[in-house]
Amino acid sequence: MAEEILSLESILEKNLQGRDLDEAKRILYGPGFSTLELPQTACQEASELDFELKGYKISAQPEETRPSRIVRIGIVQNKIQLPTTASIVDQREALHQRITQITKVAADCGVNVICYQEAWNMPFAFCTREKYPWCQFAESAEDGPASKLCCQLAERYNMVILSPILERDSLHGDTIFNTTVVISNHGKVIGKSRKNHIPRVGAFNESTYYMEGNTGHRVFETDFGKIAINICYGRHHPLNWLMYGVNGAEIVFNPSATVGNLSEPLWSIEARNAAIANTYFTAGINRVGTESYPNEFTDGDGKPGSSYVAAPNGGRTPGLSRTNEGLMVVELDLNLIRQVRDKWGFQMTARLDMYAEELTNAVSSDFNPAIIKG
């Protein structure tokens, strides 16, 4: 069996050097990122805890009329910590312990906003088509175990935490949603954003488990910028990305669980395309590792990590590992957003009025496509 590829970067660095390597990275990743030096103590702790730690910086030009708006974001990809046959409570507690360890290292690196992977506090069991026992992981967004833990961590570290979970809404018939809970750096739940688009692809018929979201395209104004969350499959829908930008998002996080055989070719470009088209920062966070389930006819395809951050100028960071857990810390200057908008004018020339009229016609029952026959 061939050895699994650690990352695209590892292939480049193994086979290229000097100017060739520099040019390959320039062409591949585009402009504007550099390595961010992280505290040696944090690097040592990450090594001891056996997860990758990477740091990058995306800068903007200095301005005379505005101070720099520097924000450090952290994105996390991690594996399940116990077999899926372990008790629900034990699996959940092990993941709580792991995310607590990684979040502490993020705090040591000065992270202001951190986002975990999709459904971070459970196996991604939606491929199994089984309701039991996996629906037992669903919990309240406001005061469930994950939110209680994240509120403590957020207050302790003065950090905004985006916590993607399987939500059970007990006020509305125990309806289940795929939800990201937004917790302020003061340790309070300030809102939630539910997954708008549900996949029906291969084993991932997730409509079996939860409903389409009903929270629209919320943007959360925090002490560290205006942030939004486009959960997983929503990244395949350009209008989904668009609406977060229309509502003023400066950073859009995309917590995901995508498998290698299905969509790895799409992964490296979709969040980057969205950053360019909407002139904001994006962060693609993917789960990592292969999960095994006890019953046959289930699908535990490996999730190839490769989390990254993209900038509005078209640049992006290298990705985290395809095989290992990791934390990426990226220092952003949010002033880059307006600078790119002044340069390219995508929002100024967007013609939203034209598209609003045509889309209104397109969803009407008597719609006729504007096709001119020769």
Side-chain angles (χ1 to χ4, degrees):
M1 182 176 178
E3 183 179 355
E4 193 166 7
I5 295 171
L6 179 65
S7 66
L8 175 60
E9 292 74 30
S10 67
I11 298 175
L12 292 174
E13 291 168 2
K14 179 180 179 181
N15 293 281
L16 297 175
Q17 57 185 342
R19 185 176 181 276
D20 286 349
L21 178 60
D22 292 341
E23 283 296 287
K25 288 185 175 181
R26 182 188 65 80
I27 294 169
L28 182 62
Y29 298 127
F33 85 88
S34 58
T35 300
L36 176 67
E37 186 174 347
L38 300 174
Q40 187 56 43
T41 53
C43 296
Q44 180 63 33
E45 188 167 6
S47 177
E48 292 172 356
L49 293 170
D50 194 27
F51 65 86
E52 183 182 26
L53 177 61
K54 296 290 186 182
Y56 300 101
K57 179 186 295 187
I58 301 176
S59 302
Q61 294 295 318
E63 299 185 19
E64 294 185 32
T65 59
R66 293 193 301 169
S68 297
R69 298 180 62 210
I70 303 299
V71 175
R72 284 196 182 187
I73 65 171
I75 56 176
V76 178
Q77 59 180 50
N78 63 275
K79 301 177 182 180
I80 58 173
Q81 303 298 301
L82 292 177
T84 58
T85 50
S87 77
I88 300 296
V89 173
D90 287 347
Q91 289 185 66
R92 187 176 65 192
E93 179 59 29
L95 282 162
H96 282 201
Q97 291 177 9
R98 187 55 164 168
I99 216 68
T100 297
Q101 293 172 337
I102 297 174
T103 303
K104 178 187 179 299
V105 174
D108 292 342
C109 295
V111 166
N112 305 121
V113 183
I114 194 168
C115 185
Y116 307 137
Q117 64 192 18
E118 184 182 17
W120 70 266
N121 61 333
M122 63 177 291
F124 204 77
F126 312 124
C127 58
T128 67
R129 307 179 183 88
E130 302 164 343
K131 291 295 187 71
Y132 183 85
W134 316 116
C135 285
Q136 295 179 73
F137 281 102
E139 60 185 74
S140 166
E142 287 72 28
D143 58 8
S147 291
K148 288 181 178 178
L149 171 68
C150 291
C151 284
Q152 294 171 3
L153 296 174
E155 184 175 25
R156 181 184 307 163
Y157 297 128
N158 189 34
M159 184 188 300
V160 173
I161 294 180
L162 310 182
S163 173
I165 63 167
L166 188 65
E167 177 198 5
R168 183 180 296 279
D169 186 350
S170 61
L171 295 179
H172 298 92
D174 278 331
T175 302
I176 294 177
F177 295 96
N178 186 321
T179 299
T180 297
V181 184
V182 181
I183 299 165
S184 77
N185 52 308
H186 308 295
K188 305 295 183 183
V189 174
I190 60 175
K192 58 191 176 186
S193 186
R194 290 168 170 163
K195 187 172 181 175
N196 285 327
H197 298 276
I198 310 301
R200 295 164 177 84
V201 181
F204 290 91
N205 188 358
E206 296 173 25
S207 59
T208 302
Y209 292 89
Y210 47 79
M211 292 295 293
E212 280 85 3
N214 56 6
T215 55
H217 298 87
R218 293 175 174 174
V219 173
F220 299 87
E221 187 167 8
T222 74
D223 288 352
F224 307 111
K226 298 181 180 71
I227 59 179
I229 308 96
N230 179 4
I231 301 174
C232 196
Y233 192 72
R235 74 180 179 277
H236 304 309
H237 294 267
L239 292 180
N240 208 37
W241 291 106
L242 170 70
M243 287 310 302
Y244 293 114
V246 168
N247 284 331
E250 296 173 310
I251 312 170
V252 181
F253 294 85
N254 177 226
S256 299
T258 190
V259 297
N261 291 336
L262 178 64
S263 59
E264 193 168 16
L266 309 180
W267 174 252
S268 65
I269 59 175
E270 285 180 302
R272 188 179 189 179
N273 287 346
I276 297 167
N278 298 287
T279 321
Y280 50 43
F281 291 94
T282 61
I285 305 110
N286 192 23
R287 293 174 70 107
V288 68
T290 299
E291 300 167 2
S292 299
Y293 297 91
N295 298 326
E296 40 184 344
F297 307 116
T298 62
D299 185 349
D301 282 354
K303 316 287 191 301
S306 308
S307 303
Y308 69 97
V309 171
N313 62 2
R316 55 153 289 185
T317 68
L320 286 173
S321 168
R322 297 178 70 255
T323 58
N324 298 331
E325 296 178 294
L327 164 67
M328 181 181 291
V329 178
V330 184
E331 183 176 286
L332 314 173
D333 186 343
L334 298 181
N335 280 357
L336 183 62
I337 295 171
R338 184 190 290 179
Q339 292 176 10
V340 174
R341 287 180 175 173
D342 287 346
K343 179 178 181 178
W344 282 101
F346 292 155
Q347 280 61 49
M348 187 168 60
T349 60
R351 299 296 308 280
L352 295 181
D353 55 339
M354 178 179 68
Y355 292 107
E357 180 180 352
E358 293 187 17
L359 287 171
T360 298
N361 293 334
V363 298
S364 67
S365 59
D366 58 351
F367 170 63
N368 287 312
I371 297 174
I372 308 301
K373 295 181 180 181

